[in-house]
Amino acid sequence: MTPNFKIDHANCADCPIRHRAVCAHCEVDELEELEGIKYYRSFEAGQTIIWSGDQMNFVGSVVSGIASLTQTMEDGRTQMVGLLLPSDFVGRPGRDSAPYDVLATTDLVMCCFRKKPFEELMNKTPHIAHRLLQMTLDELDAAREWMLVLGRKTAREKIASLLSIIARRDASVGPKTSTEPIVFDLPLTREAMADYLGLTLETVSRQISALKKDKVIELEGKRHVTIPDMGRLMDEAGDDSDGGFLV
Amino acid sequence: MTPNFKIDHANCADCPIRHRAVCAHCEVDELEELEGIKYYRSFEAGQTIIWSGDQMNFVGSVVSGIASLTQTMEDGRTQMVGLLLPSDFVGRPGRDSAPYDVLATTDLVMCCFRKKPFEELMNKTPHIAHRLLQMTLDELDAAREWMLVLGRKTAREKIASLLSIIARRDASVGPKTSTEPIVFDLPLTREAMADYLGLTLETVSRQISALKKDKVIELEGKRHVTIPDMGRLMDEAGDDSDGGFLV
DNA sequence: GTTTCCACTTGATCTCTGTCAAGGTGCCTT
DNA sequence: AAGGCACCTTGACAGAGATCAAGTGGAAAC
């Protein structure tokens, strides 16, 4: 895990990049330049932030809420290819157009920088390029981890894998011992889960019911989840020992 | 497509990075430094180049042959998460250990650089970091494209998608008109194809036979493939219009 | 208070792909 | 030339998940 490559809004309500603990090498003049080009955007759940193929004239990061990267085939089949949680980076320095739709899965706030100035700053300050490389390698690891999920796991294992990822992300700011129950609200509809896992929403629903019946998870309402034993969930996900997730 | 971010051995029998047409910004002193730290390694088909979790003290690129990045679950299920064709980059600057096995799928020659000196050079010359970022973004695009294949495509579409990728890669140095038939030798066993596509080798075999029966492809022996109509194959793959593959 | 709507659940059935099993083909060895 | 082996094909059957179709529950709207 390399949490310091993520932009951490938790400790930094204003601007992500100016946060010293995350970006220790930042010089004051860089910060001021970034300050000048940053702005915030809000989106409602279900809104499309960027359409596949569109020009993308900004980069940024998720402040709150959840966004997803989604590919759609002509006949309507869709596959989510990335899940963007708070602190995740959005954008493709050096690229003009988006290769997939970016959707606000929940209400969402993003912190954006106009791409041109950001890229100029990046060219001037090598360590920003270096950090972006590390972040991109993290994303690549996460994408490849997910290829194993999509290609080889059963529906039950897929659900367990997704719950693991969300639980771990939450757990990174919550309890650290594995015996302690983990509690969170599912930020995705059953349909969004299905799109991420390459399943139908009916199968998602059935497998969640099965995991509940088998006491791997507890459900209160449709979204509020308790994981009494994280190790048990990881076993169900079929990951070796501690996994090593990076999403 | 951004072919100039790939290291092109086709025009450069000796050392990839010194090739001016590919790396127009290279200065002579860089080349000499790279020259000093480069070396070649050969592997036989089936050999493991790097085990998941191993220290990885080099970066490099494929000169000839095919390598694959493979993840394996405890019970033996395996998923190929990347296919490395000639000119593809191998390695993770800034990372110490490999997150998956790297296998020589065919006999293979790689051009390697010791990682430490390569990283030092990278730190001194920003445009190398920039190129690596672009290459990593390409890999990320390819991985996400493949997530759609794994999650939502049928067995027949999966096979057609794989054949498309291989045909396109070959076609980039071959015929350019879409009416001209494309001919190539499959560099993968049926089992390797199955591991890449999240299928069993029996299903791969059946679908190849079906595509042959339907005249989408022609087969001579088990590996020699002719694509009489690339457009037809792309339709079978379910990709919108021209696809935009980057693998 | 009841209506409406949306997200979700559950059931019945179907189908694609996996599993198990039996050959086939061509190459390399001896 | 014969044998062995790796790679591939094909068949029969089974099962996981998709599809089609009701039905439930809870919150917002009227």
Side-chain angles (χ1 to χ4, degrees), chain A residues 121-164:
Chain A
L121 183 64
M122 189 178 105
N123 289 334
K124 274 190 292 187
T125 53
H127 76 266
I128 291 189
H130 191 262
R131 270 184 60 206
L132 282 171
L133 177 58
Q134 296 306 317
M135 288 167 66
T136 308
L137 284 170
D138 280 346
E139 283 191 84
L140 187 56
D141 282 343
R144 286 174 166 164
E145 175 80 43
W146 210 246
M147 285 171 67
L148 175 66
V149 173
L150 291 173
R152 291 303 186 193
K153 291 194 179 178
T154 64
R156 172 183 262 243
E157 289 169 336
K158 285 178 174 181
I159 298 288
S161 297
L162 178 56
L163 293 176
S164 287

Side-chain angles (χ1 to χ4, degrees), chain B residues 40-61:
Chain B
Y40 289 91
R41 294 180 68 184
S42 295
F43 301 89
E44 285 174 26
Q47 245 186 306
T48 298
I49 300 171
I50 304 147
W51 292 99
S52 169
D54 275 8
Q55 288 294 106
M56 204 175 153
N57 54 3
F58 67 92
V59 300
S61 68

Side-chain angles (χ1 to χ4, degrees), chain B residues 132-180:
Chain B
L132 283 171
L133 176 58
Q134 296 306 318
M135 288 167 65
T136 307
L137 284 170
D138 280 346
E139 283 191 84
L140 187 55
D141 282 342
R144 286 174 166 164
E145 176 80 44
W146 210 246
M147 285 170 67
L148 175 66
V149 172
L150 291 174
R152 291 301 184 193
K153 290 194 180 179
T154 65
R156 172 183 263 244
E157 289 169 337
K158 285 179 175 182
I159 299 287
S161 297
L162 179 55
L163 292 175
S164 287
I165 285 180
I166 296 171
R168 277 161 166 266
R169 255 314 253 265
D170 276 36
S172 69
V173 291
K176 274 294 176 191
T177 55
S178 64
T179 53
E180 207 169 329

Side-chain angles (χ1 to χ4, degrees), chain A residues 23 34 76 103 112 130 137 178-179 212 218 223 234 247:
Chain A
C23 182
L34 276 172
L103 305 175
C112 305
H130 191 262
L137 284 170
S178 63
T179 53
K212 181 180 160 191
E218 290 157 24
R223 300 290 193 92
M234 303 273 304
V247 164

Side-chain angles (χ1 to χ4, degrees), chain A residues 79-136:
Chain A
Q79 175 66 49
M80 207 186 284
V81 297
L83 194 62
L84 300 174
L85 306 182
S87 88
D88 281 339
F89 185 80
V90 183
R92 305 156 58 72
R95 305 297 175 90
D96 278 339
S97 67
Y100 15 69
D101 300 333
V102 182
L103 305 175
T105 297
T106 63
D107 288 347
L108 185 74
V109 177
M110 281 182 53
C111 173
C112 305
F113 306 96
R114 286 184 297 119
K115 206 177 70 175
K116 202 85 172 284
F118 185 87
E119 281 172 355
E120 279 159 16
L121 183 64
M122 189 178 105
N123 289 334
K124 274 190 292 187
T125 53
H127 76 266
I128 291 189
H130 191 262
R131 270 184 60 206
L132 282 171
L133 177 58
Q134 296 306 317
M135 288 167 66
T136 308

